[in-house]
Amino acid sequence: MDHENRRGPGRPRSESSHRRILEAATRLLERDGYTRLTIDALAAEAGVGRQTIYRRWRTKADVVLELVADRPDFAVAVPDTGSYGRDIREFLQSAFAAASDPPTADLLRGLMTEAQERPDFGHRFRHDFLGPRRAAFQVIVDRAAARQDLPSHVASEAIADIAFGSLWYRLLATREPLDAQYADAIARALAPPEGPTGA
Amino acid sequence: MDHENRRGPGRPRSESSHRRILEAATRLLERDGYTRLTIDALAAEAGVGRQTIYRRWRTKADVVLELVADRPDFAVAVPDTGSYGRDIREFLQSAFAAASDPPTADLLRGLMTEAQERPDFGHRFRHDFLGPRRAAFQVIVDRAAARQDLPSHVASEAIADIAFGSLWYRLLATREPLDAQYADAIARALAPPEGPTGA
Amino acid sequence: MDHENRRGPGRPRSESSHRRILEAATRLLERDGYTRLTIDALAAEAGVGRQTIYRRWRTKADVVLELVADRPDFAVAVPDTGSYGRDIREFLQSAFAAASDPPTADLLRGLMTEAQERPDFGHRFRHDFLGPRRAAFQVIVDRAAARQDLPSHVASEAIADIAFGSLWYRLLATREPLDAQYADAIARALAPPEGPTGA
Amino acid sequence: MDHENRRGPGRPRSESSHRRILEAATRLLERDGYTRLTIDALAAEAGVGRQTIYRRWRTKADVVLELVADRPDFAVAVPDTGSYGRDIREFLQSAFAAASDPPTADLLRGLMTEAQERPDFGHRFRHDFLGPRRAAFQVIVDRAAARQDLPSHVASEAIADIAFGSLWYRLLATREPLDAQYADAIARALAPPEGPTGA
DNA sequence: CGCTAAACGAGACGGTACGTCGAGTCTTAGA
DNA sequence: TCTAAGACTCGACGTACCGTCTCGTTTAGCG
């Protein structure tokens, strides 16, 4: 959040509380799922006052968002294989894989849900989570455009919408598995193997 | 829902209460948005006992779902122009248009949100709303497949995911307008103008 | 109540329903106690519509009151032994005995409770239940007065209050047993063995 | 109740809320009577959350009980005139007088009613209200016994039952006035002017 | 070393909504 | 007109969380 190193007088925020809250959140998400993660339960599980949570995060969703931000498997990595098709495929494979383990899927659904119910969290979610991932993906597209390696059948502005839309749609709507096969199908749609212009 | 014409003994459910509840829901959605639509407020606005709502619907989301089901602009119409590309384009144009007016968008977001928080409503939402729309869309795809009119670059099973995913992604994540241009971009990605095999 | 034999047109009230309701009330009182005896439960147990109950009695307390009125051990019997002391003693012995078995005690407490909460039932309770019992008791007192057999130490108007007050007080307040010993103690207070005037 | 001065950590209970609730209860009892005193109404009238009431008292009857406990005219005073007869008379005079003003009578009826419907409150009512008053009365009896000043015609264990029974009986059953004349009649029955053994 | 100031755990605060229960009334079809 | 059934409006219940406030206590830096 915004707890940089500006240090006024007074007792500094406890790093251990911070850590215990995040750990408690992890445990509760695993045990009870996002829906039953309440600030009350979180504070109790962490052995922390409710205010200590509010002091750091505006909503429970922000806690969870930080949790995700800290996870290495959610780091935004931009593959650079030299080929648009391979880049897309690798990106989607790893993105779909990361989102497919059930507790993570539950957590992502929770974040998206909260983003609808709390406009202010919605902004942060878009800015801090969705945005960066989109930007990373866009690097692939822009690089391909510069190389004139982009297929012509799909408007370059729609590529990211299709990629992430397919991901979230399965997550939220159909709940079918986000497996490698699905990632591949989407990748193929965005980057046809032999290229759409054919010969 | 399930209040068909099985008539046992006893006073039948009041059609007028039913109607008043749906009308009240419409008014409240328009006025306050989905998030502030509570059972309490709904009962008060409709001049109805809370129990009367619970008797008919399990959650407020089910009320809203019935509201949507009744709306003509949400009827699932399957265009049949003889061309896969034109069918897709028409379907997406009308689907995106229907979802783009702000109160409707808010309502759809509310339904998807509730589907995440209430697993049992999730099932109904998928079965009663998402399913039929997907099935309608699938008719277009299947018809094209029978005609061998399907582009080869995209796996036929992924087409619907891309179409609806793009819709919901903008609705929930980016909140950018679901305009005709966007519908067209998605349609082009699914059905390239000159056909994907090129020459 | 008021279901005399005035017969207009239409279906006559079912005696079997009437009986089933009273029997159901008996069972429920025995099983769950007065507090959990609701009109809903009563109708369900009797296999009867709620309206059928309301048509005959104004409140559940009125049902119970009729139940009591029908019971032989609650018939108001006025002993006439020729002696004030013996009459009093016999009356109290049998009244206390009748009120002392636990289900009956619970029922009486329920009636008194309801009489406080429902002023109109309160009137009926006083008029139909308490009144007749007081009147019966008063016969004893009046007879003794006519015989000049009344002890002088207690105002004749207070005798009934003491007798019934002692009964209800144990029933409602202390919940100590309404045994023969207690009945006797009260009887002695009202009719001292050797007579109050002593010599 | 049980909120003595044991001070754990955390924000202490607000004395002002406490006071406002009791004041609100007083107003509502006066205005609407015990039966219409609900937790909802009480919270609203006091400008307090419902939980704040539940935190302190288990039932509305417990609120009212505390109200009574605080009132000076309900303090248990034991007269000590040196004469059993005079003590009894004074005690009953003041007890009957306190119970005879209509709002208080209503409140007492409410407490006794609730004690029947809620067994756990019943225990508290007996222990915290009825018990102390009985004990105070018993002091008079015991003192007289020590002085051999007790009339022989009434078993000493029954004296309190008669005294309080007469009070509650009028309150609950006959609703006739608890006036000085009545108090006197009961006092005379318990303590005959010239003594029961006569000469 | 003590002072100031903020964070800490705890838990009470005023609220809002929940889902349930029971009351007393109304409305069916059928006897 | 009664019956069983089951709808209706209403209002209270007790619970769960919310986000804030208020305790006594702890922990830092500064004077």
Side-chain angles (χ1 to χ4, degrees):
Chain A
M1 287 285 89
D2 50 296
H3 52 294
E4 14 231 306
N5 50 358
R6 49 178 177 73
R7 279 287 306 285
R11 178 175 178 176
R13 299 229 176 123
S14 158
E15 294 211 19
S16 95
S17 293
H18 197 101
R19 188 172 22 76
R20 272 152 66 211
I21 293 165
L22 293 176
E23 288 166 2
T26 307
R27 278 196 302 280
L28 288 178
L29 282 172
E30 195 87 22
R31 188 203 308 155
D32 301 329
Y34 184 88
T35 305
R36 281 193 289 272
L37 175 66
T38 65
I39 298 276
D40 276 305
L42 183 54
E45 174 77 20
V48 138
R50 254 195 314 289
Q51 194 70 265
T52 301
I53 299 175
Y54 284 118
R55 211 170 275 127
R56 291 170 168 75
W57 300 280
R58 284 201 227 267
T59 71
K60 60 171 177 160
D62 288 285
V63 181
V64 175
L65 191 50
E66 173 158 340
L67 212 61
V68 169
D70 289 353
R71 284 171 44 173
D73 57 329
F74 261 86
V76 273
V78 185
D80 187 2
T81 65
S83 146
Y84 167 69
R86 272 202 303 279
D87 283 359
I88 290 283
R89 201 157 289 119
E90 279 193 20
F91 187 99
L92 292 185
Q93 291 286 0
S94 69
F96 282 37
S100 69
D101 96 295
T104 304
D106 175 65
L107 171 165
L108 290 172
R109 283 189 280 260
L111 291 177
M112 187 60 96
T113 291
E114 205 86 42
Q116 309 309 313
E117 299 181 321
R118 309 270 203 131
D120 60 325
F121 172 72
H123 288 117
R124 292 193 293 279
F125 182 52
R126 274 185 275 285
H127 186 267
D128 297 345
F129 186 84
L130 299 177
R133 273 143 194 92
R134 243 188 113 92
F137 185 84
Q138 201 61 35
V139 167
I140 296 174
V141 175
D142 292 347
R143 222 155 32 197
R147 280 196 310 259
Q148 311 235 302
D149 194 13
L150 267 192
S152 65
H153 77 296
V154 43
S156 72
E157 312 82 37
I159 298 178
D161 290 276
I162 289 175
F164 291 108
S166 306
L167 167 57
W168 282 103
Y169 184 64
R170 284 226 160 164
L171 216 40
L172 300 167
T174 66
R175 303 225 172 185
E176 283 173 359
L178 282 167
D179 53 21
Q181 203 175 328
Y182 183 56
D184 228 61
I186 304 304
R188 259 200 321 282
L190 294 174
E194 70 280 49
T197 46
Chain B
M1 288 287 91
D2 50 296
H3 52 294
E4 11 232 309
N5 49 358
R6 50 178 176 72
R7 278 289 306 283
R11 179 176 178 175
R13 302 250 170 103
S14 158
E15 295 210 18
S16 97
S17 294
H18 197 102
R19 188 172 21 76
R20 273 152 63 211
I21 293 166
L22 293 177
E23 288 166 2
T26 307
R27 279 195 301 279
L28 289 178
L29 282 171
E30 196 86 22
R31 188 202 309 154
D32 302 328
Y34 183 88
T35 306
R36 281 196 288 273
L37 175 66
T38 67
I39 299 276
D40 277 307
L42 183 53
E45 175 78 19
V48 137
R50 253 195 314 288
Q51 193 76 357
T52 300
I53 299 176
Y54 286 119
R55 209 172 276 126
R56 292 171 166 74
W57 299 282
R58 283 200 227 273
T59 70
K60 60 172 178 158
D62 288 284
V63 181
V64 175
L65 189 51
E66 173 158 342
L67 211 61
V68 169
D70 290 353
R71 285 171 43 173
D73 56 330
F74 260 87
V76 273
V78 184
D80 187 3
T81 65
S83 145
Y84 166 70
R86 272 202 303 277
D87 284 358
I88 290 283
R89 201 157 290 119
E90 281 194 19
F91 187 99
L92 293 185
Q93 290 287 2
S94 69
F96 282 40
S100 69
D101 96 295
T104 303
D106 174 66
L107 170 166
L108 290 172
R109 282 189 282 261
L111 291 178
M112 186 60 96
T113 291
E114 205 87 44
Q116 309 309 314
E117 298 181 320
R118 306 261 200 145
D120 59 324
F121 172 72
H123 288 116
R124 293 193 293 279
F125 182 52
R126 273 185 276 285
H127 184 268
D128 297 345
F129 186 83
L130 298 177
R133 271 142 195 94
R134 242 187 112 91
F137 185 84
Q138 201 60 36
V139 167
I140 296 175
V141 175
D142 292 345
R143 225 159 28 199
R147 281 195 312 259
Q148 312 238 303
D149 193 13
L150 224 41
S152 65
H153 76 296
V154 43
S156 71
E157 312 84 37
I159 297 178
D161 290 278
I162 290 175
F164 291 108
S166 305
L167 167 55
W168 282 103
Y169 184 64
R170 282 226 161 164
L171 215 41
L172 300 167
T174 66
R175 304 228 172 183
E176 282 173 0
L178 283 166
D179 52 22
Q181 202 175 328
Y182 183 54
D184 228 60
I186 304 303
R188 260 202 319 282
L190 294 174
E194 68 281 47
T197 45
Chain C
M1 288 288 91
D2 50 296
H3 51 294
E4 13 233 306
N5 50 358
R6 50 178 173 72
R7 280 286 308 280
R11 177 173 176 176
R13 297 221 179 132
S14 156
E15 294 213 18
S16 94
S17 293
H18 197 100
R19 188 173 22 76
R20 272 152 65 212
I21 293 165
L22 293 176
E23 287 167 2
T26 307
R27 278 195 302 280
L28 288 178
L29 281 172
E30 194 87 21
R31 188 203 307 153
D32 301 329
Y34 184 88
T35 305
R36 282 195 287 273
L37 176 66
T38 66
I39 298 276
D40 276 305
L42 183 54
E45 175 77 19
V48 137
R50 253 196 313 288
Q51 194 69 263
T52 301
I53 299 176
Y54 283 118
R55 210 170 274 127
R56 292 171 166 76
W57 299 280
R58 284 202 227 268
T59 71
K60 59 172 177 160
D62 288 285
V63 181
V64 175
L65 191 50
E66 174 159 342
L67 211 62
V68 169
D70 290 353
R71 284 172 44 173
D73 57 329
F74 260 87
V76 274
V78 185
D80 187 3
T81 64
S83 145
Y84 166 70
R86 272 203 303 279
D87 284 358
I88 290 283
R89 201 157 289 120
E90 279 193 22
F91 187 98
L92 292 185
Q93 290 287 0
S94 68
F96 282 38
S100 69
D101 96 294
T104 303
D106 174 66
L107 171 166
L108 291 172
R109 283 189 281 259
L111 291 177
M112 187 59 96
T113 291
E114 205 85 43
Q116 308 310 313
E117 298 181 320
R118 310 270 204 130
D120 59 326
F121 172 72
H123 288 117
R124 292 193 293 280
F125 182 53
R126 273 185 276 285
H127 185 267
D128 297 345
F129 186 84
L130 298 177
R133 272 143 194 92
R134 243 188 112 90
F137 184 84
Q138 201 60 37
V139 168
I140 295 174
V141 175
D142 292 346
R143 225 160 26 202
R147 280 195 310 262
Q148 312 235 304
D149 194 14
L150 266 192
S152 65
H153 77 296
V154 43
S156 72
E157 312 82 36
I159 297 178
D161 291 276
I162 289 174
F164 291 107
S166 306
L167 167 56
W168 283 102
Y169 184 66
R170 284 228 160 163
L171 215 41
L172 300 168
T174 66
R175 303 225 172 188
E176 282 173 1
L178 283 166
D179 52 21
Q181 201 174 330
Y182 184 55
D184 227 62
I186 303 304
R188 260 201 320 281
L190 295 173
E194 68 280 49
T197 45
Chain D
M1 288 285 92
D2 49 296
H3 52 294
E4 11 231 309
N5 49 357
R6 51 177 175 72
R7 277 289 306 282
R11 180 175 177 174
R13 304 249 170 104
S14 158
E15 296 211 16
S16 97
S17 295
H18 196 102
R19 189 172 21 76
R20 273 151 64 212
I21 293 166
L22 293 177
E23 288 166 3
T26 307
R27 280 195 301 279
L28 290 178
L29 282 171
E30 195 85 22
R31 187 202 308 155
D32 302 327
Y34 184 87
T35 305
R36 281 196 287 274
L37 175 66
T38 68
I39 299 277
D40 277 309
L42 184 53
E45 175 78 19
V48 138
R50 253 197 310 291
Q51 194 73 4
T52 300
I53 299 176
Y54 285 120
R55 209 172 276 128
R56 291 172 167 72
W57 300 281
R58 284 200 227 271
T59 70
K60 59 172 178 159
D62 288 285
V63 181
V64 175
L65 189 50
E66 174 157 342
L67 212 60
V68 169
D70 289 352
R71 286 172 41 174
D73 57 330
F74 261 88
V76 273
V78 185
D80 187 4
T81 64
S83 145
Y84 167 69
R86 273 202 303 276
D87 284 357
I88 291 283
R89 200 158 290 117
E90 281 193 20
F91 186 98
L92 293 184
Q93 292 286 2
S94 68
F96 282 39
S100 70
D101 95 296
T104 302
D106 174 66
L107 171 166
L108 291 172
R109 282 189 281 260
L111 291 177
M112 187 60 96
T113 291
E114 205 85 45
Q116 309 309 315
E117 298 181 320
R118 307 260 201 147
D120 59 326
F121 172 71
H123 288 117
R124 293 193 292 279
F125 182 52
R126 274 185 275 286
H127 185 268
D128 297 344
F129 186 84
L130 298 177
R133 272 143 194 92
R134 242 188 113 91
F137 184 84
Q138 201 61 34
V139 167
I140 296 175
V141 176
D142 292 345
R143 225 160 26 200
R147 279 195 311 259
Q148 313 236 302
D149 194 14
L150 267 191
S152 64
H153 76 296
V154 43
S156 72
E157 312 82 36
I159 298 178
D161 291 276
I162 290 174
F164 291 108
S166 306
L167 167 56
W168 283 103
Y169 184 66
R170 283 228 159 164
L171 215 39
L172 300 168
T174 66
R175 303 225 174 186
E176 283 172 359
L178 282 166
D179 52 22
Q181 201 174 329
Y182 184 55
D184 228 61
I186 303 303
R188 260 201 319 281
L190 294 174
E194 68 283 48
T197 44

